[in-house]
Amino acid sequence: MNLLIIGAPGSGKGTISNNLIKDYDITHVSTGDMLRQAIAQNSPVGLRAAEYMNQGQLVPDSIIHDIIVERLSMDDIKKGFLFDGYPRTVDQAIDLSSILEQLHMKIDAVLELEIDDEILKKRITGRRLCPTCGEIYNIYSKPTKVEDICDKCGGKLITRKDDSLENLTVRLDEYHRNTQPVIEYYEKMDLVKKIDADKSADAVYDDIKSVLEGLK
Ligand code: AP5
């Protein structure tokens, strides 16, 4: 199964992806995670990406094209993929269509997480991440048992550099201007499944599982 998950910053893409990849045995491809890894490694791509990401702006399509082509050439993609946070512009979506055509692959569904911008403030400013195992927490909706320590692996939690209210305004603006047209692109292909993301994380995930059962 090949899926895309699209939604505003903080809508729950990463949280849902962590469950989906385990339950459906598909490969998680998060361009955000890949870019953050490149930044941590101080690679040329990372250095360029940081200029944009630290301000909440989208990274140029040319950089994204290169990392996606490289990622799609890896073997684990063959068992099925979940793209999280990609494509984010109509040009990226057109590019992806042409890359997938060359690889004789297709997208089965696009999960669109619908949520009001106002709710995202608490989700973004309250988010804490475990850099060791990737678990995602929230000081309001999913606190750890011991403050700033991962329940799963004992790692010290971090806050993402771009998770400020100031940055959220820019990220939301980027989302509405550049990424919502991507949903219209996939609506024309009848691939979009709309999901109400203003529910508990478990309830959202149950809705997604029902949608995916319907695809089988
Ligand atoms: P990226 O890493 O993709 O971030 P994003 O889209 O801003 O989304 P987030 O990771 O912030 O949120 P999420 O939807 O995954 O929510 P989460 O599950 O963590 O991109 C970062 C940057 O990289 C971009 O700004 C851009 O610069 C660059 N970039 C990446 N891809 C790019 C591309 N293709 N093109 C160009 N640039 C690109 O949840 C958030 C919080 O809410 C957590 O604390 C969680 O515990 C909590 N939560 C989740 N679900 C619920 C729920 N149902 N109820 C209550 N709380 C919940």
Side-chain angles (χ1 to χ4, degrees):
M1 188 158 49
N2 297 326
L3 303 171
L4 308 186
I5 188 160
I6 298 183
S11 56
K13 302 183 293 296
T15 302
I16 292 160
S17 296
N18 283 349
N19 288 324
L20 279 178
I21 54 165
K22 275 186 225 137
D23 291 349
Y24 292 82
D25 191 27
I26 50 179
T27 296
H28 186 204
V29 180
S30 157
T31 42
D33 287 348
M34 289 158 78
L35 292 167
R36 278 185 287 277
Q37 196 181 3
I39 291 172
Q41 291 166 345
N42 270 323
S43 71
V45 164
L47 290 174
R48 276 199 68 203
E51 291 171 32
Y52 299 90
M53 286 175 77
N54 290 342
Q55 320 243 12
Q57 294 164 350
L58 291 183
V59 170
D61 290 344
S62 58
I63 296 182
I64 301 296
H65 169 86
D66 290 347
I67 63 171
I68 284 293
V69 168
E70 192 186 340
R71 189 66 187 84
L72 279 175
S73 70
M74 295 180 190
D75 259 1
D76 60 353
I77 294 294
K78 290 182 190 139
K79 66 178 183 178
F81 59 73
L82 171 64
F83 280 128
D84 160 4
Y86 169 83
R88 266 178 144 96
T89 64
V90 171
D91 282 347
Q92 288 180 18
I94 293 169
D95 190 38
L96 177 63
S97 295
S98 106
I99 297 168
L100 291 178
E101 198 181 331
Q102 284 168 33
L103 295 171
H104 306 292
M105 296 175 96
K106 67 174 183 61
I107 295 162
D108 296 304
V110 175
L111 305 171
E112 180 200 358
L113 302 183
E114 296 186 302
I115 193 159
D116 283 346
D117 288 0
E118 198 54 35
I119 298 166
L120 301 173
K121 287 182 184 167
K122 267 191 164 176
R123 292 213 186 166
I124 287 292
T125 55
R127 174 166 48 191
R128 301 290 181 271
L129 298 165
C130 177
T132 313
C133 71
E135 192 64 16
I136 305 169
Y137 296 94
N138 192 287
I139 57 169
Y140 306 108
S141 61
K142 190 185 169 187
T144 48
K145 293 189 185 89
V146 180
E147 198 181 332
D148 284 343
I149 299 294
C150 179
D151 289 346
K152 280 201 165 166
C153 75
K156 174 104 176 81
L157 303 189
I158 56 163
T159 302
R160 242 167 68 176
K161 212 171 179 179
D162 56 346
D163 274 352
S164 64
L165 273 184
E166 194 189 8
N167 255 335
L168 178 62
T169 308
V170 181
R171 286 159 67 191
L172 283 171
D173 182 55
E174 290 276 31
Y175 179 76
H176 292 303
R177 264 187 315 122
N178 291 303
T179 310
Q180 276 189 326
V182 174
I183 293 160
E184 287 155 32
Y185 175 86
Y186 288 116
E187 269 171 346
K188 289 184 193 137
M189 300 179 189
D190 204 18
L191 286 173
V192 178
K193 310 288 177 194
K194 292 187 182 295
I195 309 289
D196 178 0
D198 183 14
K199 295 181 177 180
S200 73
D202 286 346
V204 174
Y205 190 56
D206 284 345
D207 288 351
I208 289 179
K209 279 196 291 192
S210 304
V211 164
L212 297 183
E213 283 304 310
L215 289 180
K216 284 184 182 166

